[in-house]
Amino acid sequence: MLFVQAGDGYPYYARPRFPGGRPTVADVVQMRARQRELGVPEALEWVHETTPDLHDAAVAAGMEVLMAPLMVLDPDQLPEPHPHVRVLGTSPAEVSVVAQLAFSTPGTAPGSVGVAERDAALRDATPTSTRHRHAVADLPGEGVLAVGTAQRAGDVVEIAGIGTLPAARRRGLGGAVTAELARDALSRGAELVFLSAGSLDVARVYERVGFRRVGTACIASPVVG
Ligand SMILES: CC(C)(COP(=O)(O)OP(=O)(O)OC[C@H]1O[C@@H](n2cnc3c(N)ncnc32)[C@H](O)[C@@H]1OP(=O)(O)O)[C@@H](O)C(=O)NCCC(=O)NCCS
């Protein structure tokens, strides 16, 4: 299935029908051509356990595939709320700035980039409008150090974009932001809260706040270069 961007929403990745047949390399090549024609990103996602043949077909069609732990919240395992994490229905400039700086230093290791770089970037930034929920860890005297986003479709909420400034890592903030978004989703009636972790190291952060692995999310994008 291929989605065409509507209104101001984010462009959406294509995905196989479920249950479907056995996707082939030709199917993926055709999908990419149609996405280029529509001007949407050449992106494809699926659950490995339900469509295992698609991995090799996507790779043979020139895509690289990230296999990310797919995790679902066990609400009973949520930790106590963090005193300095709050959830917002607006998107202050800190959300995109902190996320951008966090994702510029991938992995879970701490680094040097911190509040000085955030504040410099904030001088040129503007708040964006949002249809999503955002969480910020806003520490007294330090400001926003970690952020995350939750997007909802019906009863299902996906948490994404969890990021902590490299200099503020390993203080429990990434986990706390994730937990608060999950708690907020449940309080607003979500039946299922899920996320995909970028790596096994990142998955541990989510496990600590009540998520458990249920499968593998495959995220395919064109090989660069
Ligand atoms: C992944 C990420 C959000 C984690 O943020 P974080 O704030 O460091 O997360 P936490 O502090 O909750 O947990 C990280 C580690 O610190 C440890 N920790 C938590 N609280 C701690 C504390 N008070 N003191 C010391 N260590 C602590 C955790 O146990 C965990 O250890 P582990 O790596 O051995 O499992 C961050 O590394 C990041 O922004 N990475 C780049 C973007 C990214 O990949 N995002 C996820 C996309 S799916």
Side-chain angles (χ1 to χ4, degrees), residues 37-111:
E37 206 173 277
L38 289 166
V40 298
E42 290 177 60
L44 171 65
E45 298 194 13
W46 69 97
V47 174
H48 183 63
E49 287 75 7
T50 58
T51 320
D53 299 324
L54 190 47
H55 179 275
D56 290 354
V59 170
M63 303 189 90
E64 58 192 357
V65 181
L66 170 70
M67 298 184 80
L70 178 63
M71 306 180 81
V72 167
L73 176 70
D74 175 353
D76 295 336
Q77 300 299 317
L78 267 177
E80 289 300 307
H82 187 288
H84 301 299
V85 175
R86 60 181 196 279
V87 178
L88 313 164
T90 57
S91 183
E94 283 92 339
V95 171
S96 53
V97 164
V98 170
Q100 206 170 359
L101 291 172
F103 281 86
S104 301
T105 305
T108 58

Side-chain angles (χ1 to χ4, degrees), residues 119-156:
D119 292 344
L122 275 172
R123 285 195 272 279
D124 302 323
T126 47
T128 48
S129 67
T130 186
R131 292 176 297 116
H132 305 310
R133 307 280 289 171
H134 301 279
V136 293
D138 188 354
L139 281 288
E142 296 180 277
V144 175
L145 302 179
V147 298
T149 295
Q151 36 202 20
R152 180 170 184 149
D155 291 342
V156 179

Side-chain angles (χ1 to χ4, degrees), residues 68 98-99 101-110 145-147 159-166 168-178 195-206 208-209:
V98 170
L101 291 172
F103 281 86
S104 301
T105 305
T108 58
L145 302 179
V147 298
I159 292 178
I162 302 293
T164 302
L165 288 176
R169 289 183 185 167
R170 307 194 72 82
R171 291 165 55 180
L173 300 178
V177 160
T178 309
L195 51 77
S196 38
S199 67
L200 293 175
D201 285 342
V202 176
R204 276 203 310 277
V205 174
Y206 302 136
R208 214 167 283 109
V209 295

